[in-house]
Amino acid sequence: MTKSVTMDDLLKDVELDNISASDFIEGKIISIQKHEVWLDIGHLGVGVVSRRELVNNSDLEVGQTVTASVVHPETKHGHALLSLRRVMKDKSWEEIQKIYDNNQIVSVNGYDANRGGLLVEFEGIRGFLPISQLSINHYPRVNSSDKEEVVAKLNQLIGKSIKVCILDLNRKENKLIFSEKEALKEVVSEQLKKLSVGDVVDGVVTGVTHFGAFVNIDGVEGLIHISEISWGRVEDPHKHVKVGETVKVKIISIVDERVALSLKQLTDDPWEQEVKGLKEGSEVEGVITRTTPYGAFVRISPVVEALLYLFGESQTEDGEGGVAKTKATKTKPDQAKIEDLKKNIKVGDTKQFVIVSLDKEARKISLKLK
């Protein structure tokens, strides 16, 4: 393993009577001007730090001893051209390496954003906080895949202090990657230990998408899948929950750090009540809600939908005790019959149907036209 070289090591290696570019030397500040700082560098004379090589003039004082990097040993004017910026950068990288090795949590401020995440600065070094490494409190949940909307959300984080840890670094490539999720990992892990399947908890909706809603439960993110929002059919989750809304949910599964939630399981299933009086062979009235290549969905009550198959002849067979029983078979009817059925089913039509099969456990009802 190669030993890391510190600033003190570099200073020890410099022979003051033979300096060259990139060496580090110490000098005492003898003058601070608007665009430059002058240093006394012993028997080598004086050195000057130009404005572009300064870090922050307000932190410097006359008489202060500082370490500088040699840009040019001797200019045509007879003095050395020096840099404080490079020294500060090297010291920063040394500090960053220690933080990374010790897995410390630090705070960074974002100064810009792009589609991939937040641009941040730490110890004078620019780094990157990827969108995938943001916590649930800062992750930009948007209603669409519009990247401009994502950037707009990230822009709201500019200037805010965010606690992170260093995920990856490469000094040679000037790469510095941060993670907010990793910094909060232990906190989230401890919070997860407090949650159990079956618990009913309060949470705040942090995002709504076409497939469900994300909920923050004291730092743990859970998902209410669209199928767990309501017992009825949900076309658009946005019509049921809103970002910022506090909701009471039931935890239905915890796998690793993924928490599945349910809104509908906090209420009785109306489907079971609605189908109590139904049985195979019963006549029902229903409204055709949508069609598919294999049939049509029919709403026979506010919360019960059944399927009308275009294929599959209905036939009668002997049931228990010699009672006739109707069921759907896999026999494909002729094309003329399919076309005739299609003409008779249009979205919005109200028609009379007969229940061909009823499976209460699977929550499936098959129909045929009366």
Side-chain angles (χ1 to χ4, degrees):
M1 181 175 178
T2 304
K3 181 182 177 182
S4 61
V5 180
T6 66
M7 186 64 62
D8 290 337
D9 295 329
L10 293 171
L11 284 170
K12 290 176 184 177
D13 291 339
V14 174
E15 295 186 14
L16 293 178
D17 59 347
N18 185 27
I19 64 170
S20 58
S22 299
D23 282 345
F24 292 93
I25 61 173
E26 286 188 344
K28 183 178 291 186
I29 298 175
I30 55 177
S31 175
I32 299 176
Q33 300 178 18
K34 185 176 181 181
H35 299 305
E36 57 193 21
V37 173
W38 290 85
L39 304 181
D40 177 358
I41 52 176
H43 72 281
L44 291 173
V46 295
V48 63
V49 183
S50 62
R51 180 176 59 180
R52 62 182 295 180
E53 296 300 333
L54 289 170
V55 180
N56 190 341
N57 281 17
S58 62
D59 294 334
L60 303 177
E61 297 178 354
V62 173
Q64 179 182 357
T65 298
V66 296
T67 301
S69 171
V70 178
V71 177
H72 197 288
E74 187 176 0
T75 68
K76 63 181 181 179
H77 300 294
H79 56 254
L81 186 61
L82 308 174
S83 171
L84 293 180
R85 182 178 296 277
R86 181 183 169 191
V87 174
M88 183 61 68
K89 186 175 181 180
D90 278 36
K91 286 184 176 179
S92 294
W93 274 111
E94 288 177 14
E95 182 63 24
I96 288 169
Q97 185 67 53
K98 290 178 183 177
I99 291 170
Y100 175 71
D101 292 340
N102 295 319
N103 197 31
Q104 291 177 245
I105 295 174
V106 296
S107 295
V108 297
N109 289 337
Y111 66 86
D112 200 1
N114 58 35
R115 295 175 181 179
L118 200 62
L119 306 179
V120 299
E121 187 169 334
F122 179 70
E123 296 287 340
I125 305 296
R126 292 185 174 183
F128 190 59
L129 178 52
I131 191 172
S132 62
Q133 295 302 318
L134 289 170
S135 71
I136 60 174
N137 293 324
H138 293 142
Y139 191 90
R141 303 288 183 192
V142 296
N143 297 332
S144 65
S145 58
D146 185 353
K147 293 181 178 179
E148 296 305 319
E149 190 176 355
V150 171
V151 174
K153 290 281 187 180
L154 290 174
N155 280 330
Q156 296 175 11
L157 299 178
I158 293 176
K160 290 186 176 181
S161 179
I162 302 175
K163 290 189 179 298
V164 296
C165 64
I166 300 172
L167 191 65
D168 191 20
L169 61 82
N170 189 313
R171 184 170 176 174
K172 289 183 179 180
E173 297 179 5
N174 206 36
K175 180 176 74 173
L176 184 57
I177 309 297
F178 294 97
S179 172
E180 185 184 19
K181 284 173 64 175
E182 286 296 315
L184 298 175
K185 194 170 184 178
E186 288 187 14
V187 175
V188 172
S189 180
E190 287 301 312
Q191 186 59 31
L192 273 171
K193 293 177 182 178
K194 301 176 183 178
L195 304 178
S196 302
V197 173
D199 287 351
V200 176
V201 295
D202 291 325
V204 178
V205 178
T206 57
V208 183
T209 70
H210 65 281
F211 58 83
F214 293 93
V215 178
N216 181 354
I217 307 167
D218 293 333
V220 175
E221 184 175 69
L223 173 66
I224 310 172
H225 190 266
I226 188 171
S227 62
E228 291 295 330
I229 290 177
S230 172
W231 290 110
R233 182 174 181 79
V234 177
E235 297 286 349
D236 183 5
H238 296 87
K239 295 180 179 179
H240 297 263
V241 289
K242 306 294 181 184
V243 173
E245 176 185 2
T246 298
V247 292
K248 193 175 291 293
V249 290
K250 182 179 180 180
I251 299 175
I252 56 176
S253 76
I254 301 176
V255 180
D256 296 328
E257 294 185 359
R258 296 189 297 273
V259 180
L261 308 170
S262 176
L263 274 175
K264 73 179 187 182
Q265 291 190 31
L266 294 178
T267 60
D268 293 333
D269 184 356
W271 195 91
E272 295 180 357
Q273 296 297 321
E274 294 281 349
V275 301
K276 274 187 176 180
L278 301 179
K279 59 183 180 179
E280 293 177 358
S282 297
E283 293 185 11
V284 292
E285 183 177 82
V287 179
I288 297 172
T289 57
R290 55 196 174 103
T291 60
T292 70
Y294 53 82
F297 286 91
V298 180
R299 186 174 64 245
I300 59 178
S301 87
V303 296
V304 178
E305 265 195 338
L307 185 61
L308 170 68
Y309 283 102
L310 288 181
F311 63 86
E313 297 269 11
S314 61
Q315 68 178 23
T316 301
E317 62 178 18
D318 289 336
E320 294 182 6
V323 178
K325 183 179 180 181
T326 304
K327 73 170 186 176
T329 70
K330 300 297 182 181
T331 307
K332 184 178 179 180
D334 58 45
Q335 191 62 33
K337 186 169 183 178
I338 292 176
E339 295 303 320
D340 184 58
L341 284 170
K342 285 183 177 180
K343 291 178 183 179
N344 284 288
I345 55 170
K346 294 180 181 179
V347 173
D349 285 354
T350 299
K351 292 186 176 295
Q352 297 296 318
F353 302 90
V354 175
I355 296 177
V356 176
S357 65
L358 173 59
D359 186 339
K360 292 184 179 180
E361 288 188 6
R363 297 168 63 91
K364 291 182 179 179
I365 301 176
S366 298
L367 306 174
K368 69 175 182 178
L369 283 168
K370 182 181 177 183

